[in-house]
Amino acid sequence: MRTWDQEIDLLKKNQLYRSLRTLESAQSPRAIVDGKEVIMLASNNYLGLTTKAEIIQETNKVLQRYGSGSGGSRLTTGNYDLHENLEAEISRFKETEAAVVFNTGYMANIGVLTTVVGKGDLIICDKLNHASIIDACRLSKAKFRVYQHNDLDKLERILQSSSKYQKRLIVTDGVFSMDGDLAPLADIVRLAKKYDALTMIDDAHGTGVLGAGGKGTVNHFDLADRIDIQLGTLSKALGAEGGFVAGTKSLIDLLKNKARPFIYSTALSPVTIEAALAALRYLQDNPQIVKNLWDNINFLKEGLKDLGYSLLPSQSAIVPIVIGDKMRAMAISDELFEQGVLAPAIRPPTVPEGSSRIRVTVMANHSREDLKEALSAFAKVANKFNLRRSR
Ligand SMILES: *Cc1c(COP(=O)(O)O)cnc(C)c1O
């Protein structure tokens, strides 16, 4: 049997050892990371809402009034008016009958998949779905099958050959978290109707970024009412913490009764709930921040392309720069950090072997100056690593 130290040595040997960077500032366009001021190109805080003065002010009031923790699970003493207000606001925003908040997006995936499917059912997954969906599939006791990324022919073949299952549920990310591209949601819905399957979207990276006023990927494709289960997080563009599921009243009622991560975990604190609620209200009152985000995304992408970087064709705030080799990706990320830019390397097992990348994310509150400075760091690194494509 390997000892823990031997396991760690093995990770190091396979170049898969990970270490944590430490922040000593807010999650802002310029942040203090490992003691150094850097331009933050790695945050999921896409709209810059973690540091928005109006949201902090509202959240402070709740801290003073309700204190620091929730004191119980939702079904005992942890269900506050704030939780209910937030759920009502989410269901309005997502244009569904109802919504329920979980403590994280991860727990929301576990909660919903272990509740709505089980033995005798089939989950059909895109190969690049988020790890929390994969874990949830394993816990659900349903069978699950995987189709190559966005491969609708393969999805249809699975649907054709799986009529023996009681329920079939197609699950896809709306925005894929490591590639930044979108699921072909209209086609997936069409196939689901044709073969009488249910649909679920995890829109962690679409919420606040895509669609009218940042309503998400379902709105972007104009499919309100046509997706059975919509999942999202409060932790990315909304700048707080928590996950949610939105859908029909009966779906949400069932989840509140049966989803174990909802039942057996202390509710998010009123402070966190208010942070999410104030962010959601702020977004609806100030939809132009979504446009600011897109202006920044387009500016940075153009700049990187001009420098000769090869980008995956993303359609979100996630801009992946393909490198290939994991050691090289790590070295490039380290050099960017030296040059004052935080842009992490993403390696296996998070992405397939040979497709290691630098994953850049953009925020609405980056100034042009921030982005220009970042691009000049990228220019130096492109020279040093000979990254210019022959064009
Ligand atoms: C981040 C993410 C999650 C998990 O959400 P947390 O709130 O961070 O637990 C789930 N699904 C996808 C697609 C994600 O990107």
Side-chain angles (χ1 to χ4, degrees), residues 84-309:
E84 294 179 359
N85 294 345
L86 176 59
E87 287 168 346
E89 198 70 47
I90 291 169
S91 67
R92 267 197 295 279
F93 187 66
K94 289 290 182 180
E95 297 167 342
T96 59
E97 283 175 19
V100 58
V101 169
F102 287 82
N103 290 358
T104 65
Y106 189 106
M107 289 166 76
N109 268 318
I110 305 277
V112 72
L113 285 173
T114 55
T115 300
V116 302
V117 288
K119 219 162 169 267
D121 300 328
L122 179 70
I123 307 171
I124 310 174
C125 266
D126 188 288
K127 182 145 196 229
L128 296 188
N129 277 352
H130 191 262
S132 57
I133 296 175
I134 309 296
D135 293 359
C137 287
R138 292 190 177 123
L139 271 173
S140 73
K141 301 199 176 82
K143 287 266 189 279
F144 69 99
R145 291 187 60 188
V146 173
Y147 55 94
Q148 287 299 321
H149 179 48
N150 282 349
D151 183 345
L152 293 167
D153 290 338
K154 178 72 195 197
L155 170 59
E156 181 154 22
R157 284 200 300 280
I158 294 174
L159 286 163
Q160 278 164 350
S161 65
S162 60
S163 48
K164 67 171 182 184
Y165 290 95
Q166 287 165 24
K167 256 184 260 164
R168 292 177 295 170
L169 172 64
I170 306 169
V171 185
T172 182
D173 282 13
V175 174
F176 289 87
S177 53
M178 294 301 137
D179 289 43
D181 59 344
L182 310 186
L185 215 51
D187 291 321
I188 290 174
V189 166
R190 183 179 50 77
L191 285 175
K193 298 287 174 227
K194 182 169 170 191
Y195 293 95
D196 198 24
L198 296 165
T199 47
M200 169 170 156
I201 178 178
D202 176 345
D203 207 22
H205 292 281
T207 302
V209 176
L210 288 164
K215 279 173 178 283
T217 308
V218 172
N219 178 283
H220 173 83
F221 286 112
D222 206 8
L223 291 169
D225 287 339
R226 307 203 53 203
I227 304 279
D228 298 296
I229 303 169
Q230 295 192 47
L231 184 142
T233 70
L234 306 167
S235 58
K236 286 169 181 157
L238 293 171
E241 275 172 53
F244 63 82
V245 175
T248 61
K249 281 205 176 85
S250 43
L251 170 70
I252 301 310
D253 202 19
L254 184 67
L255 290 172
K256 286 180 180 166
N257 278 277
K258 290 188 76 177
R260 294 170 66 89
F262 178 84
I263 300 170
Y264 295 108
S265 190
T266 297
L268 286 173
S269 75
V271 181
T272 303
I273 294 295
E274 178 60 28
L277 186 53
L280 200 47
R281 288 180 178 146
Y282 184 90
L283 171 59
Q284 292 172 95
D285 291 344
N286 300 275
Q288 77 280 3
I289 56 172
V290 181
K291 188 180 168 299
N292 298 347
L293 172 63
W294 278 98
D295 287 345
N296 280 350
I297 294 168
N298 293 329
F299 180 81
L300 191 74
K301 272 174 134 173
E302 285 312 309
L304 288 169
K305 279 188 207 157
D306 287 345
L307 291 172
Y309 282 94

